mmCIF file of all heavy atoms in Angstrom:
data_model
loop_
_atom_site.group_PDB
_atom_site.id
_atom_site.type_symbol
_atom_site.label_atom_id
_atom_site.label_comp_id
_atom_site.label_asym_id
_atom_site.label_seq_id
_atom_site.Cartn_x
_atom_site.Cartn_y
_atom_site.Cartn_z
ATOM 1 N N GLY C 117 133.643 181.207 107.341
ATOM 2 C CA GLY C 117 133.513 179.841 107.787
ATOM 3 C C GLY C 117 133.179 178.872 106.682
ATOM 4 O O GLY C 117 132.783 177.728 106.918
ATOM 5 N N HIS C 284 112.190 185.686 75.308
ATOM 6 C CA HIS C 284 110.945 186.489 75.204
ATOM 7 C C HIS C 284 109.852 185.943 76.138
ATOM 8 O O HIS C 284 109.064 186.708 76.678
ATOM 9 C CB HIS C 284 110.500 186.547 73.743
ATOM 10 C CG HIS C 284 111.320 187.524 72.975
ATOM 11 N ND1 HIS C 284 111.179 188.890 73.106
ATOM 12 C CD2 HIS C 284 112.382 187.351 72.080
ATOM 13 C CE1 HIS C 284 112.076 189.493 72.332
ATOM 14 N NE2 HIS C 284 112.800 188.571 71.721
ATOM 15 N N GLU C 291 106.431 190.709 82.510
ATOM 16 C CA GLU C 291 105.412 191.734 82.166
ATOM 17 C C GLU C 291 104.097 191.409 82.783
ATOM 18 O O GLU C 291 103.428 192.292 83.339
ATOM 19 C CB GLU C 291 105.293 191.805 80.623
ATOM 20 C CG GLU C 291 104.677 193.095 80.130
ATOM 21 C CD GLU C 291 104.749 193.293 78.636
ATOM 22 O OE1 GLU C 291 104.909 192.282 77.916
ATOM 23 O OE2 GLU C 291 104.691 194.458 78.206
ATOM 24 N N ILE C 365 150.525 188.067 71.602
ATOM 25 C CA ILE C 365 151.111 188.714 70.393
ATOM 26 C C ILE C 365 150.161 189.810 69.885
ATOM 27 O O ILE C 365 150.612 190.890 69.551
ATOM 28 C CB ILE C 365 151.303 187.648 69.302
ATOM 29 C CG1 ILE C 365 152.341 186.561 69.763
ATOM 30 C CG2 ILE C 365 151.801 188.271 67.956
ATOM 31 C CD1 ILE C 365 153.723 187.048 70.008
ATOM 32 N N TRP C 487 107.574 175.683 86.495
ATOM 33 C CA TRP C 487 108.209 174.388 86.167
ATOM 34 C C TRP C 487 107.890 173.316 87.187
ATOM 35 O O TRP C 487 108.054 172.128 86.922
ATOM 36 C CB TRP C 487 109.741 174.516 86.117
ATOM 37 C CG TRP C 487 110.270 175.440 85.009
ATOM 38 C CD1 TRP C 487 109.669 175.720 83.819
ATOM 39 C CD2 TRP C 487 111.473 176.161 85.044
ATOM 40 N NE1 TRP C 487 110.433 176.588 83.103
ATOM 41 C CE2 TRP C 487 111.568 176.880 83.832
ATOM 42 C CE3 TRP C 487 112.554 176.296 85.943
ATOM 43 C CZ2 TRP C 487 112.646 177.705 83.498
ATOM 44 C CZ3 TRP C 487 113.591 177.146 85.636
ATOM 45 C CH2 TRP C 487 113.626 177.829 84.406
#
Side-chain angles (χ1 to χ4, degrees):
Chain C
H284 284 285
E291 198 170 22
I365 299 296
W487 297 332

